[in-house]
Amino acid sequence: MTSVDAVVARMTALSARLPSHDGVAVFNAVYLSVTRELNGRLGSGFFPHPGRTAELGARFAARYLLAVEAEEAGSRPPDCWRPLFRLRHHRDVRPTQFALAGINAHVGHDLPLAVLDTCVALGVEPPALETDFERVGDVLEAIEERVREELMPGPDLLELADPLTHLLGSWSLERARDAAWSTAGLLWRLRELPAVYEEFARRLDAGVGLVGRCLLTPLPYGPDRGPVVPGRLPYPISRQSSGSSTGAISS
């Protein structure tokens, strides 16, 4: 198996053992579909340097999986992942929030560090990966699209969704990608100052975690909404209504 095949297999196994209403399972399902898509494009000519892209994609996904393993082992995962792990069963957090909180942690914290991991492994500097980074980012946009199409509530629940669209409208994948690239370049230069590097990385982790906690703000269902299964919407998800929620995710 290629390294990307390996992380796909690990995410598939994780998906099989997690209940569907688990917040981590919500993010994992979306991320798994996108990673499979990336893997399928490696030999299609979409990426100018498929070997570099595979290395970056595998190291990127591995950071998420290491965080999950740390949580399962009872050790402390990175701060950026802790809000999702702590609130993964909260009955008043929507699937959309779980998905975007995972994307926030993964892109905001894991992606710049994965760029550094890849540079060290390949013996190159960040500019050599910029084209591959941008193409991986293009594939990552599929996460946002899937979240919008599959997890946002329909227009018949506008009253309920208003706080949700307001909350999620404050976060942008495009801005997170841009910040991740800038952060990777800064961290690369800070390697010669280990103490400064460690402090910056620690604060990056904490800051991304704070954003994740805000994204996971519980939004209680009204008393007339009926029983709620933890982590699940108490209504069918309408794919046809996705157009009305475009502004809910990217600003």
Side-chain angles (χ1 to χ4, degrees), residues 72-94:
E72 291 179 340
S75 56
R76 184 184 177 105
D79 287 350
C80 62
W81 286 105
R82 294 180 72 199
L84 178 58
F85 293 150
R86 286 182 172 183
L87 295 169
R88 62 197 294 177
H89 301 298
H90 200 296
R91 70 188 306 273
D92 291 327
V93 177
R94 310 291 191 272

PDB file of all heavy atoms in Angstrom, residues 72-94:
ATOM      1  N   GLU A  72      -7.840   8.025  22.497  1.00  0.00           N
ATOM      2  CA  GLU A  72      -8.282   6.676  22.827  1.00  0.00           C
ATOM      3  C   GLU A  72      -7.386   6.014  23.869  1.00  0.00           C
ATOM      4  O   GLU A  72      -7.847   5.185  24.653  1.00  0.00           O
ATOM      5  CB  GLU A  72      -8.333   5.823  21.557  1.00  0.00           C
ATOM      6  CG  GLU A  72      -9.442   6.245  20.589  1.00  0.00           C
ATOM      7  CD  GLU A  72      -9.473   5.416  19.335  1.00  0.00           C
ATOM      8  OE1 GLU A  72      -8.436   4.775  19.011  1.00  0.00           O
ATOM      9  OE2 GLU A  72     -10.527   5.393  18.661  1.00  0.00           O
ATOM     10  N   ALA A  73      -6.105   6.403  23.865  1.00  0.00           N
ATOM     11  CA  ALA A  73      -5.153   5.826  24.818  1.00  0.00           C
ATOM     12  C   ALA A  73      -5.203   6.512  26.175  1.00  0.00           C
ATOM     13  O   ALA A  73      -4.520   6.094  27.111  1.00  0.00           O
ATOM     14  CB  ALA A  73      -3.738   5.893  24.249  1.00  0.00           C
ATOM     15  N   GLY A  74      -5.986   7.573  26.291  1.00  0.00           N
ATOM     16  CA  GLY A  74      -6.081   8.289  27.552  1.00  0.00           C
ATOM     17  C   GLY A  74      -4.984   9.305  27.768  1.00  0.00           C
ATOM     18  O   GLY A  74      -4.863   9.859  28.872  1.00  0.00           O
ATOM     19  N   SER A  75      -4.186   9.572  26.746  1.00  0.00           N
ATOM     20  CA  SER A  75      -3.164  10.617  26.847  1.00  0.00           C
ATOM     21  C   SER A  75      -3.732  11.912  26.276  1.00  0.00           C
ATOM     22  O   SER A  75      -4.842  11.945  25.758  1.00  0.00           O
ATOM     23  CB  SER A  75      -1.885  10.212  26.131  1.00  0.00           C
ATOM     24  OG  SER A  75      -2.133   9.897  24.784  1.00  0.00           O
ATOM     25  N   ARG A  76      -2.977  12.986  26.375  1.00  0.00           N
ATOM     26  CA  ARG A  76      -3.492  14.295  25.983  1.00  0.00           C
ATOM     27  C   ARG A  76      -3.255  14.550  24.492  1.00  0.00           C
ATOM     28  O   ARG A  76      -2.107  14.615  24.037  1.00  0.00           O
ATOM     29  CB  ARG A  76      -2.813  15.395  26.804  1.00  0.00           C
ATOM     30  CG  ARG A  76      -3.352  16.798  26.533  1.00  0.00           C
ATOM     31  CD  ARG A  76      -2.568  17.829  27.314  1.00  0.00           C
ATOM     32  NE  ARG A  76      -3.015  19.182  27.025  1.00  0.00           N
ATOM     33  CZ  ARG A  76      -3.748  19.938  27.839  1.00  0.00           C
ATOM     34  NH1 ARG A  76      -4.106  19.460  29.020  1.00  0.00           N
ATOM     35  NH2 ARG A  76      -4.112  21.149  27.498  1.00  0.00           N
ATOM     36  N   PRO A  77      -4.313  14.728  23.725  1.00  0.00           N
ATOM     37  CA  PRO A  77      -4.150  15.089  22.307  1.00  0.00           C
ATOM     38  C   PRO A  77      -3.808  16.569  22.203  1.00  0.00           C
ATOM     39  O   PRO A  77      -3.881  17.313  23.195  1.00  0.00           O
ATOM     40  CB  PRO A  77      -5.531  14.793  21.725  1.00  0.00           C
ATOM     41  CG  PRO A  77      -6.462  15.045  22.860  1.00  0.00           C
ATOM     42  CD  PRO A  77      -5.721  14.621  24.108  1.00  0.00           C
ATOM     43  N   PRO A  78      -3.436  17.059  21.026  1.00  0.00           N
ATOM     44  CA  PRO A  78      -3.222  18.500  20.860  1.00  0.00           C
ATOM     45  C   PRO A  78      -4.459  19.286  21.296  1.00  0.00           C
ATOM     46  O   PRO A  78      -5.590  18.822  21.150  1.00  0.00           O
ATOM     47  CB  PRO A  78      -2.957  18.642  19.357  1.00  0.00           C
ATOM     48  CG  PRO A  78      -2.401  17.320  18.949  1.00  0.00           C
ATOM     49  CD  PRO A  78      -3.128  16.310  19.783  1.00  0.00           C
ATOM     50  N   ASP A  79      -4.233  20.480  21.815  1.00  0.00           N
ATOM     51  CA  ASP A  79      -5.334  21.304  22.302  1.00  0.00           C
ATOM     52  C   ASP A  79      -6.369  21.596  21.218  1.00  0.00           C
ATOM     53  O   ASP A  79      -7.564  21.744  21.510  1.00  0.00           O
ATOM     54  CB  ASP A  79      -4.798  22.631  22.845  1.00  0.00           C
ATOM     55  CG  ASP A  79      -4.079  22.469  24.171  1.00  0.00           C
ATOM     56  OD1 ASP A  79      -4.155  21.363  24.754  1.00  0.00           O
ATOM     57  OD2 ASP A  79      -3.447  23.436  24.628  1.00  0.00           O
ATOM     58  N   CYS A  80      -5.925  21.690  19.970  1.00  0.00           N
ATOM     59  CA  CYS A  80      -6.854  22.028  18.894  1.00  0.00           C
ATOM     60  C   CYS A  80      -7.936  20.965  18.714  1.00  0.00           C
ATOM     61  O   CYS A  80      -9.037  21.270  18.242  1.00  0.00           O
ATOM     62  CB  CYS A  80      -6.096  22.242  17.583  1.00  0.00           C
ATOM     63  SG  CYS A  80      -5.197  20.793  16.994  1.00  0.00           S
ATOM     64  N   TRP A  81      -7.654  19.718  19.084  1.00  0.00           N
ATOM     65  CA  TRP A  81      -8.600  18.625  18.930  1.00  0.00           C
ATOM     66  C   TRP A  81      -9.454  18.392  20.170  1.00  0.00           C
ATOM     67  O   TRP A  81     -10.481  17.704  20.106  1.00  0.00           O
ATOM     68  CB  TRP A  81      -7.873  17.327  18.572  1.00  0.00           C
ATOM     69  CG  TRP A  81      -7.386  17.302  17.158  1.00  0.00           C
ATOM     70  CD1 TRP A  81      -6.102  17.455  16.722  1.00  0.00           C
ATOM     71  CD2 TRP A  81      -8.186  17.130  15.981  1.00  0.00           C
ATOM     72  NE1 TRP A  81      -6.047  17.397  15.354  1.00  0.00           N
ATOM     73  CE2 TRP A  81      -7.308  17.189  14.872  1.00  0.00           C
ATOM     74  CE3 TRP A  81      -9.546  16.927  15.762  1.00  0.00           C
ATOM     75  CZ2 TRP A  81      -7.768  17.057  13.567  1.00  0.00           C
ATOM     76  CZ3 TRP A  81      -9.997  16.799  14.462  1.00  0.00           C
ATOM     77  CH2 TRP A  81      -9.098  16.859  13.381  1.00  0.00           C
ATOM     78  N   ARG A  82      -9.059  18.933  21.293  1.00  0.00           N
ATOM     79  CA  ARG A  82      -9.755  18.617  22.532  1.00  0.00           C
ATOM     80  C   ARG A  82     -11.219  19.048  22.557  1.00  0.00           C
ATOM     81  O   ARG A  82     -12.073  18.321  23.077  1.00  0.00           O
ATOM     82  CB  ARG A  82      -8.987  19.192  23.723  1.00  0.00           C
ATOM     83  CG  ARG A  82      -7.621  18.525  23.914  1.00  0.00           C
ATOM     84  CD  ARG A  82      -6.875  19.113  25.091  1.00  0.00           C
ATOM     85  NE  ARG A  82      -7.471  18.700  26.351  1.00  0.00           N
ATOM     86  CZ  ARG A  82      -7.274  19.318  27.508  1.00  0.00           C
ATOM     87  NH1 ARG A  82      -6.505  20.396  27.552  1.00  0.00           N
ATOM     88  NH2 ARG A  82      -7.832  18.873  28.608  1.00  0.00           N
ATOM     89  N   PRO A  83     -11.588  20.222  21.998  1.00  0.00           N
ATOM     90  CA  PRO A  83     -13.016  20.563  22.000  1.00  0.00           C
ATOM     91  C   PRO A  83     -13.880  19.519  21.292  1.00  0.00           C
ATOM     92  O   PRO A  83     -14.952  19.152  21.788  1.00  0.00           O
ATOM     93  CB  PRO A  83     -13.056  21.918  21.281  1.00  0.00           C
ATOM     94  CG  PRO A  83     -11.706  22.510  21.534  1.00  0.00           C
ATOM     95  CD  PRO A  83     -10.763  21.349  21.479  1.00  0.00           C
ATOM     96  N   LEU A  84     -13.435  19.040  20.143  1.00  0.00           N
ATOM     97  CA  LEU A  84     -14.210  18.028  19.424  1.00  0.00           C
ATOM     98  C   LEU A  84     -14.307  16.742  20.229  1.00  0.00           C
ATOM     99  O   LEU A  84     -15.380  16.136  20.331  1.00  0.00           O
ATOM    100  CB  LEU A  84     -13.585  17.759  18.056  1.00  0.00           C
ATOM    101  CG  LEU A  84     -14.277  16.683  17.202  1.00  0.00           C
ATOM    102  CD1 LEU A  84     -15.739  17.026  16.953  1.00  0.00           C
ATOM    103  CD2 LEU A  84     -13.543  16.483  15.880  1.00  0.00           C
ATOM    104  N   PHE A  85     -13.203  16.313  20.822  1.00  0.00           N
ATOM    105  CA  PHE A  85     -13.231  15.082  21.604  1.00  0.00           C
ATOM    106  C   PHE A  85     -14.115  15.216  22.843  1.00  0.00           C
ATOM    107  O   PHE A  85     -14.818  14.275  23.221  1.00  0.00           O
ATOM    108  CB  PHE A  85     -11.814  14.685  22.019  1.00  0.00           C
ATOM    109  CG  PHE A  85     -10.928  14.291  20.860  1.00  0.00           C
ATOM    110  CD1 PHE A  85      -9.556  14.504  20.906  1.00  0.00           C
ATOM    111  CD2 PHE A  85     -11.456  13.721  19.716  1.00  0.00           C
ATOM    112  CE1 PHE A  85      -8.741  14.154  19.853  1.00  0.00           C
ATOM    113  CE2 PHE A  85     -10.649  13.366  18.649  1.00  0.00           C
ATOM    114  CZ  PHE A  85      -9.283  13.575  18.708  1.00  0.00           C
ATOM    115  N   ARG A  86     -14.089  16.381  23.464  1.00  0.00           N
ATOM    116  CA  ARG A  86     -14.874  16.571  24.686  1.00  0.00           C
ATOM    117  C   ARG A  86     -16.369  16.699  24.414  1.00  0.00           C
ATOM    118  O   ARG A  86     -17.193  16.287  25.233  1.00  0.00           O
ATOM    119  CB  ARG A  86     -14.386  17.829  25.419  1.00  0.00           C
ATOM    120  CG  ARG A  86     -13.047  17.656  26.116  1.00  0.00           C
ATOM    121  CD  ARG A  86     -12.663  18.916  26.862  1.00  0.00           C
ATOM    122  NE  ARG A  86     -11.474  18.712  27.688  1.00  0.00           N
ATOM    123  CZ  ARG A  86     -10.959  19.638  28.481  1.00  0.00           C
ATOM    124  NH1 ARG A  86     -11.518  20.839  28.555  1.00  0.00           N
ATOM    125  NH2 ARG A  86      -9.889  19.384  29.211  1.00  0.00           N
ATOM    126  N   LEU A  87     -16.729  17.280  23.283  1.00  0.00           N
ATOM    127  CA  LEU A  87     -18.140  17.564  22.990  1.00  0.00           C
ATOM    128  C   LEU A  87     -18.728  16.614  21.944  1.00  0.00           C
ATOM    129  O   LEU A  87     -19.833  16.851  21.452  1.00  0.00           O
ATOM    130  CB  LEU A  87     -18.279  19.011  22.524  1.00  0.00           C
ATOM    131  CG  LEU A  87     -17.940  20.069  23.577  1.00  0.00           C
ATOM    132  CD1 LEU A  87     -17.850  21.460  22.940  1.00  0.00           C
ATOM    133  CD2 LEU A  87     -18.965  20.077  24.691  1.00  0.00           C
ATOM    134  N   ARG A  88     -18.032  15.561  21.630  1.00  0.00           N
ATOM    135  CA  ARG A  88     -18.416  14.679  20.530  1.00  0.00           C
ATOM    136  C   ARG A  88     -19.791  14.030  20.723  1.00  0.00           C
ATOM    137  O   ARG A  88     -20.422  13.603  19.757  1.00  0.00           O
ATOM    138  CB  ARG A  88     -17.361  13.592  20.337  1.00  0.00           C
ATOM    139  CG  ARG A  88     -17.192  12.686  21.524  1.00  0.00           C
ATOM    140  CD  ARG A  88     -15.896  11.894  21.499  1.00  0.00           C
ATOM    141  NE  ARG A  88     -15.812  10.934  20.426  1.00  0.00           N
ATOM    142  CZ  ARG A  88     -14.724  10.189  20.203  1.00  0.00           C
ATOM    143  NH1 ARG A  88     -13.638  10.345  20.972  1.00  0.00           N
ATOM    144  NH2 ARG A  88     -14.721   9.325  19.226  1.00  0.00           N
ATOM    145  N   HIS A  89     -20.281  13.945  21.967  1.00  0.00           N
ATOM    146  CA  HIS A  89     -21.591  13.346  22.228  1.00  0.00           C
ATOM    147  C   HIS A  89     -22.622  14.355  22.711  1.00  0.00           C
ATOM    148  O   HIS A  89     -23.699  13.958  23.156  1.00  0.00           O
ATOM    149  CB  HIS A  89     -21.443  12.243  23.274  1.00  0.00           C
ATOM    150  CG  HIS A  89     -20.505  11.147  22.871  1.00  0.00           C
ATOM    151  ND1 HIS A  89     -20.721  10.342  21.766  1.00  0.00           N
ATOM    152  CD2 HIS A  89     -19.330  10.726  23.415  1.00  0.00           C
ATOM    153  CE1 HIS A  89     -19.723   9.465  21.655  1.00  0.00           C
ATOM    154  NE2 HIS A  89     -18.865   9.687  22.637  1.00  0.00           N
ATOM    155  N   HIS A  90     -22.312  15.637  22.618  1.00  0.00           N
ATOM    156  CA  HIS A  90     -23.231  16.655  23.135  1.00  0.00           C
ATOM    157  C   HIS A  90     -24.495  16.699  22.286  1.00  0.00           C
ATOM    158  O   HIS A  90     -24.437  16.839  21.068  1.00  0.00           O
ATOM    159  CB  HIS A  90     -22.555  18.026  23.130  1.00  0.00           C
ATOM    160  CG  HIS A  90     -23.208  19.018  24.041  1.00  0.00           C
ATOM    161  ND1 HIS A  90     -24.495  19.468  23.856  1.00  0.00           N
ATOM    162  CD2 HIS A  90     -22.748  19.647  25.154  1.00  0.00           C
ATOM    163  CE1 HIS A  90     -24.804  20.330  24.801  1.00  0.00           C
ATOM    164  NE2 HIS A  90     -23.764  20.455  25.607  1.00  0.00           N
ATOM    165  N   ARG A  91     -25.640  16.608  22.930  1.00  0.00           N
ATOM    166  CA  ARG A  91     -26.912  16.496  22.207  1.00  0.00           C
ATOM    167  C   ARG A  91     -27.313  17.790  21.507  1.00  0.00           C
ATOM    168  O   ARG A  91     -28.189  17.774  20.619  1.00  0.00           O
ATOM    169  CB  ARG A  91     -28.024  16.055  23.174  1.00  0.00           C
ATOM    170  CG  ARG A  91     -28.417  17.110  24.191  1.00  0.00           C
ATOM    171  CD  ARG A  91     -29.369  16.536  25.239  1.00  0.00           C
ATOM    172  NE  ARG A  91     -30.525  15.904  24.652  1.00  0.00           N
ATOM    173  CZ  ARG A  91     -31.659  16.543  24.332  1.00  0.00           C
ATOM    174  NH1 ARG A  91     -31.744  17.851  24.526  1.00  0.00           N
ATOM    175  NH2 ARG A  91     -32.677  15.885  23.839  1.00  0.00           N
ATOM    176  N   ASP A  92     -26.733  18.917  21.880  1.00  0.00           N
ATOM    177  CA  ASP A  92     -27.115  20.189  21.280  1.00  0.00           C
ATOM    178  C   ASP A  92     -26.060  20.762  20.340  1.00  0.00           C
ATOM    179  O   ASP A  92     -26.098  21.950  20.004  1.00  0.00           O
ATOM    180  CB  ASP A  92     -27.434  21.215  22.374  1.00  0.00           C
ATOM    181  CG  ASP A  92     -28.711  20.874  23.130  1.00  0.00           C
ATOM    182  OD1 ASP A  92     -29.626  20.306  22.500  1.00  0.00           O
ATOM    183  OD2 ASP A  92     -28.776  21.144  24.338  1.00  0.00           O
ATOM    184  N   VAL A  93     -25.119  19.937  19.919  1.00  0.00           N
ATOM    185  CA  VAL A  93     -24.139  20.346  18.909  1.00  0.00           C
ATOM    186  C   VAL A  93     -24.514  19.659  17.595  1.00  0.00           C
ATOM    187  O   VAL A  93     -24.714  18.445  17.556  1.00  0.00           O
ATOM    188  CB  VAL A  93     -22.703  19.985  19.321  1.00  0.00           C
ATOM    189  CG1 VAL A  93     -21.716  20.356  18.214  1.00  0.00           C
ATOM    190  CG2 VAL A  93     -22.326  20.692  20.621  1.00  0.00           C
ATOM    191  N   ARG A  94     -24.631  20.432  16.533  1.00  0.00           N
ATOM    192  CA  ARG A  94     -25.078  19.916  15.239  1.00  0.00           C
ATOM    193  C   ARG A  94     -23.959  19.183  14.495  1.00  0.00           C
ATOM    194  O   ARG A  94     -22.777  19.489  14.674  1.00  0.00           O
ATOM    195  CB  ARG A  94     -25.576  21.068  14.347  1.00  0.00           C
ATOM    196  CG  ARG A  94     -26.573  21.993  15.000  1.00  0.00           C
ATOM    197  CD  ARG A  94     -27.913  21.289  15.238  1.00  0.00           C
ATOM    198  NE  ARG A  94     -28.917  22.275  15.617  1.00  0.00           N
ATOM    199  CZ  ARG A  94     -29.140  22.657  16.865  1.00  0.00           C
ATOM    200  NH1 ARG A  94     -28.439  22.137  17.844  1.00  0.00           N
ATOM    201  NH2 ARG A  94     -30.080  23.557  17.136  1.00  0.00           N
TER     202      ARG A  94
END
